[in-house]
Amino acid sequence: MSTHLIQGEQVTMPVQIREASVASAMFPVPARTAQEIIGYSGLEVLRPLPGRAVCALAFVRYDDGDLGPYHEFAVTFLVRDPAPPPGRLKNVGVFVHWLPVDQSFTLEAGRSIWGFPKLMTDIPLDLDGRVKHCAVRVDGRPVVEMAVLPGLPVPGGGAPEIAAFSCLDGVTRRTPWTTRPTGVRLRPGGAAVRVGGPPDAHPIVEELRRLGLPRARALSSATVAHLSMTFHDAQRIG
């Protein structure tokens, strides 16, 4: 059992998230552009459709967990797992490209333990209303907003282990990650994205525009009322 010292506190692995709420959406994007954007990681985007990759946007409210309460917004891509564990049937992973948060403890933990590209900013969000909404501003300037409409209830429960990938300071890492969702709602489409501010507001603004957001129609969107998760130690793969 490993431990990490974060801001004078011991964080014991694996890290447990006991209560969180999520809204997310998956978008088809040009595979060539997506590959150019994540090329620094050495990973390969999945192409479930000819010429198309999948970019997933999500916002999360962490209410109870080992890293404390905080808000988070994620820009991720589905990628090929270059070294899936023995016995695993699928080689699908999630690459975390951009991950703003609003609290310093989780920022330091995320960067030092898993190499997640966390940065500090304001992330006002609403996960209690009928329409879930989040806005991200960097240095006071609008970067991205997303609204997710309600879907139909679907079964939750445990999920297989997911490989979460990150690349920070030239080091690519793979983190085993498990999720246990309840109160799941799912629908086709159902998400609206606004990419705000001038092109020089933040590099992610130009990247999201290159990917075709906000014009792209979501493949699907989902909300999770209650989510618990486990994050294990990261393994360096590059």
Side-chain angles (χ1 to χ4, degrees), residues 20-178:
S21 303
V22 185
S24 64
M26 303 176 73
F27 298 87
V29 297
R32 179 177 297 180
T33 302
Q35 188 62 55
E36 290 173 354
I37 288 172
I38 74 158
Y40 66 96
S41 69
L43 299 170
E44 180 187 355
V45 295
L46 284 176
R47 293 170 169 82
L49 297 172
R52 311 300 284 179
V54 175
C55 176
L57 307 183
F59 51 95
V60 189
R61 184 183 67 213
Y62 292 84
D63 294 314
D64 180 22
D66 294 347
L67 305 182
Y70 63 97
H71 293 175
E72 178 178 272
F73 189 92
V75 177
T76 67
F77 296 88
L78 296 186
V79 296
R80 295 188 183 278
D81 186 340
R88 185 169 173 181
L89 298 179
K90 295 184 178 180
N91 64 342
V92 178
V94 177
F95 177 69
V96 182
H97 175 60
W98 194 61
L99 196 64
V101 295
D102 67 350
Q103 297 295 326
S104 65
F105 189 85
T106 187
L107 183 145
E108 183 176 329
R111 293 179 70 90
S112 62
I113 298 174
W114 301 288
F116 287 141
K118 293 190 175 184
L119 67 148
M120 180 76 74
T121 191
D122 291 328
I123 311 177
L125 57 78
D126 178 9
L127 280 162
D128 296 320
R130 179 176 177 273
V131 177
K132 318 304 180 184
H133 180 265
C134 177
V136 181
R137 302 175 68 88
V138 176
D139 297 327
R141 307 174 90 177
V143 172
V144 59
E145 295 184 40
M146 185 165 75
V148 176
L149 299 175
L152 296 176
V154 298
E161 180 182 289
I162 304 166
F165 291 92
S166 61
C167 183
L168 190 66
D169 299 328
V171 178
T172 300
R173 296 174 173 87
R174 181 186 189 278
T175 298
W177 167 39
T178 57

